[in-house]
Amino acid sequence: MTTQRTLKKQIRDRMRRNGERYTTARAHILAGRSQSKSPTFTGGQQGDVAAATNALNSAGWTGPDGQPLTEGQVFGLSGGVGFLYGVFRYDTGPTMTIAARNTSMPDTFLDQLWAIDELNASVSTTGGAKKAERELFAALERGQRALCSVGAGAMNYLGLPDESAAMMPLVVGIIGIEDGQLLVDDRSVEPHRVDTKELAHARSVLRSAKHRMVTISPADGSIDWAHTIRQSIAYGARRYDTPPVPQFASNVGLKGLTKWQRLLTDPKDQMGWAKVFGEGSAAAVGFTRLYQCIEHDYTAPAAGRPLYAEFLRWATSVVGDSRYADAASLFEESATHWSAVSERAANASPSIARATSQMDLRAELLGDSDPQQMQQAYRAQVDANDEATIDASTASTLTAEIAKDVQEIINLEAAALQALGYAPAQPSSKRSTSPSPDERVTMLNPNTGRPDKTIVRSIYDPVKRAILTAISEIDGIRFSDLSDAVEDRTDPALWTKHKVGWYTTSVKLDLEARGLIERFASPQQLRLTAAGQAEFAKY
């Protein structure tokens, strides 16, 4: 078995030869040794996928060539890459997130894998801590590894603050017990040692996956690999563009990438980077998070695109479909642009460079199981974040450069999806049934629900869409801010002869009457109803 010390030496040798970051070099080294003679504990790039890979190999499952499964193969069988973009505003300031996989949460990401019937995976949840512990020890006594959902902040070896536990879900493998301590498989080539009470607490803090545990039966029979791979690729391609909830539809997949690309350079949109992350500490947060989401959080380096390309090349060799190889090449090229984006973000300022280097250091220290060192690196990362600031000119130049890379990513990944046989949804082209722009829409009165005045459709439709979009992006937007939001999201030519405030108020009242939006609080704020979320999803 390769020790952590040996692995770090191999990684640092590659870093010196190729000028790579630690995470990138580590990904290449791990990929090269994932089919070694000791496949049941190979380390990994993503906590959930790496632990699942080791669990499958430990249970005796192999690929069609009889070789142990790799993390890239299991990543693809689980669905692979995706995209989700979100901005969140708190009292402490804004932040953002990008999910680079097609399901953002680690436990549910593996659900497609567990759906492979031949694996005979058992997924259990329970509200009781004692029952959860009994089931865990019973699995270990049977010689099975258990994959448990935990709050990362409650796992001491990660050196994270306790208050982050419930907000940072993680899937780890429990491989045994030794000297009263549990042996935990979490991305390292050597097990972490965790007290049973510590694990019990970590399992209890996640509301959505409380005490969730997955076990895999020993291999018995074989898998129809060609069929399984085709199903996984089709599932992954569909999921790429599938939002977790309807109101996120415009933030997911190619629509989400296109929206993000626009927001990077749109100076007027209230959710654009110029408004939200345009300068100062807010800009520093945006660029730091961008690096973190592309290289570390719930992903493999370069947004996981190289790992998915590895799966597609394996799929080509098994299924014999050359289109998979074509898609692999496109995702590999896309990965170079993802890496370019993260490098631009990491080098946005000296303080951000220090913060991102501490993220990389934490990945390096993970195998050492030294909570104190991990805590120090996390503290140094937070301190660097706190002092980071970027002037508006630098931020604007960087976002313009990043937007160019994002456009290349859109083009490449759209082509990759088409190569995989998936055509992203396009706006309807049925001109014969489309309403005329001169048609007038009869408005409804929210007080009586009865017909009121009429508005020409060429104004009603874009204003309606702008209102629903603004409310979906800024839940609880104030009515006093709505006209500006509509103006930012519509063609300026509309307002050369018309008053945006009058049309915004009129359409807003109509949408209330139709049950698509509702007001609350004082001063008046607005939010989408369930019907409004469904209507917005059509866009």
Side-chain angles (χ1 to χ4, degrees):
M1 180 183 292
T2 302
T3 65
Q4 176 67 10
R5 180 177 297 179
T6 302
L7 176 63
K8 289 171 71 171
K9 182 179 184 304
Q10 293 171 346
I11 294 169
R12 292 204 168 276
D13 287 345
R14 183 181 171 101
M15 290 172 66
R16 283 190 290 271
R17 289 196 307 272
N18 300 337
E20 296 169 334
R21 284 183 175 270
Y22 184 89
T23 49
T24 302
R26 184 176 186 272
H28 284 291
I29 295 297
L30 289 175
R33 53 182 299 275
S34 59
Q35 290 189 327
S36 66
K37 293 182 179 179
S38 301
T40 61
F41 212 98
T42 60
Q45 302 173 54
Q46 304 168 95
D48 50 358
V49 181
T53 302
N54 289 336
L56 289 167
N57 289 331
S58 177
W61 290 103
T62 63
D65 56 359
Q67 293 295 311
L69 295 165
T70 70
E71 184 177 355
Q73 292 164 3
V74 173
F75 178 52
L77 292 170
S78 301
V81 297
F83 179 81
L84 182 148
Y85 172 73
V87 171
F88 306 92
R89 296 176 183 269
Y90 300 104
D91 292 341
T92 53
T95 187
M96 56 79 64
T97 192
I98 285 175
R101 308 193 302 186
N102 64 37
T103 303
S104 57
M105 291 294 100
D107 46 2
T108 53
F109 177 75
L110 294 172
D111 283 351
Q112 173 65 11
L113 181 68
W114 308 139
I116 299 174
D117 290 337
E118 293 89 342
L119 294 180
N120 196 22
S122 172
V123 181
S124 64
T125 57
T126 176
K130 290 184 178 179
K131 182 180 179 182
E133 186 172 78
R134 286 198 303 271
E135 291 178 348
L136 170 61
F137 282 113
L140 296 177
E141 288 175 3
R142 294 192 300 269
Q144 293 178 300
R145 294 190 178 200
L147 297 170
C148 295
S149 299
V150 299
M155 303 296 278
N156 290 335
Y157 65 83
L158 292 173
L160 295 167
D162 292 339
E163 59 268 23
S164 69
M167 298 183 291
M168 301 178 68
L170 177 69
V171 174
V172 299
I174 312 299
I175 66 173
I177 188 165
E178 187 177 279
D179 298 331
Q181 290 188 308
L182 294 164
L183 304 179
V184 176
D185 177 7
D186 182 14
R187 290 164 286 179
S188 173
V189 295
E190 297 176 354
H192 306 281
R193 294 176 177 270
V194 173
D195 183 82
T196 55
K197 291 183 179 179
E198 178 185 330
L199 181 71
H201 170 61
R203 296 183 68 191
S204 70
V205 295
L206 295 179
R207 291 184 180 179
S208 61
K210 191 172 184 179
H211 300 132
R212 192 175 198 264
M213 184 178 79
V214 180
T215 55
I216 305 166
S217 299
D220 181 16
S222 61
I223 294 173
D224 182 346
W225 281 110
H227 173 72
T228 298
I229 288 170
R230 288 192 191 97
Q231 279 197 321
S232 297
I233 289 175
Y235 169 85
R238 289 195 308 273
R239 288 290 305 176
Y240 184 100
D241 264 347
T242 302
V245 290
Q247 59 264 41
F248 280 3
S250 66
N251 289 48
V252 169
L254 294 176
K255 286 183 179 179
L257 279 165
T258 301
K259 176 179 179 178
W260 179 42
Q261 198 267 351
R262 175 181 62 80
L263 292 175
L264 283 167
T265 56
D266 188 337
K268 294 187 67 178
D269 196 303
Q270 294 301 310
M271 296 301 289
W273 277 54
K275 298 284 189 182
V276 182
F277 303 112
E279 61 181 328
S281 58
V285 168
F287 289 115
T288 303
R289 280 292 297 156
L290 189 52
Y291 178 84
Q292 190 170 17
C293 292
I294 294 174
E295 301 295 335
H296 289 285
D297 278 7
Y298 304 122
T299 187
R305 270 54 182 175
L307 203 62
Y308 194 57
E310 175 198 321
F311 162 73
L312 290 172
R313 295 202 180 281
W314 174 67
T316 304
S317 69
V318 176
V319 179
D321 191 332
S322 62
R323 294 177 303 169
Y324 297 164
D326 293 340
S329 296
L330 291 163
F331 276 119
E332 285 167 345
E333 189 174 351
S334 176
T336 65
H337 293 283
W338 281 109
S339 294
V341 170
S342 68
E343 278 298 313
R344 294 185 201 282
N347 294 299
S349 79
S351 293
I352 292 177
R354 288 197 299 274
T356 55
S357 69
Q358 292 300 316
M359 296 177 197
D360 294 345
L361 177 60
R362 283 176 49 78
E364 180 179 352
L365 293 172
L366 180 60
D368 295 339
S369 291
D370 187 331
Q372 187 173 358
Q373 283 189 312
M374 292 287 275
Q375 289 169 2
Q376 290 172 351
Y378 180 79
R379 188 67 253 170
Q381 174 189 325
V382 171
D383 290 344
N385 283 339
D386 289 344
E387 68 183 42
T389 183
I390 303 176
D391 64 83
S393 177
T394 299
S396 177
T397 300
L398 279 171
T399 52
E401 292 171 347
I402 289 171
K404 294 176 183 177
D405 279 305
V406 175
Q407 185 58 61
E408 291 298 320
I409 290 169
I410 293 168
N411 297 339
L412 290 163
E413 299 198 1
L417 291 173
Q418 289 176 347
L420 295 176
Y422 174 73
Q426 299 294 332
S428 173
S429 60
K430 297 180 180 178
R431 297 182 181 274
S432 60
T433 59
S434 297
S436 165
D438 296 326
E439 175 188 331
R440 299 191 72 84
V441 178
T442 301
M443 315 288 281
L444 298 182
N445 186 306
N447 296 318
T448 65
R450 305 174 79 175
D452 201 346
K453 52 184 171 287
T454 64
I455 290 179
V456 68
R457 183 172 291 280
S458 59
I459 298 180
Y460 176 87
D461 283 349
V463 172
K464 172 187 173 183
R465 178 170 184 162
I467 290 174
L468 295 179
T469 300
I471 297 175
S472 75
E473 293 174 348
I474 313 171
D475 187 32
I477 187 172
R478 291 192 177 193
F479 172 57
S480 58
D481 295 329
L482 191 60
S483 291
D484 288 340
V486 168
E487 187 172 11
D488 289 339
R489 291 164 174 79
T490 50
D491 186 344
L494 280 178
W495 312 120
T496 57
K497 296 182 179 179
H498 305 287
K499 293 183 178 180
V500 64
W502 186 89
Y503 281 95
T504 297
T505 300
S506 298
V507 176
K508 173 255 186 188
L509 292 171
D510 176 70
L511 297 181
E512 283 187 82
R514 297 178 190 276
L516 300 181
I517 64 175
E518 61 185 4
R519 64 181 76 177
F520 67 100
S522 180
Q524 186 185 137
Q525 294 176 259
L526 301 166
R527 61 191 171 203
L528 296 179
T529 64
Q533 293 171 3
E535 182 72 10
F536 175 68
K538 297 177 183 178
Y539 295 125

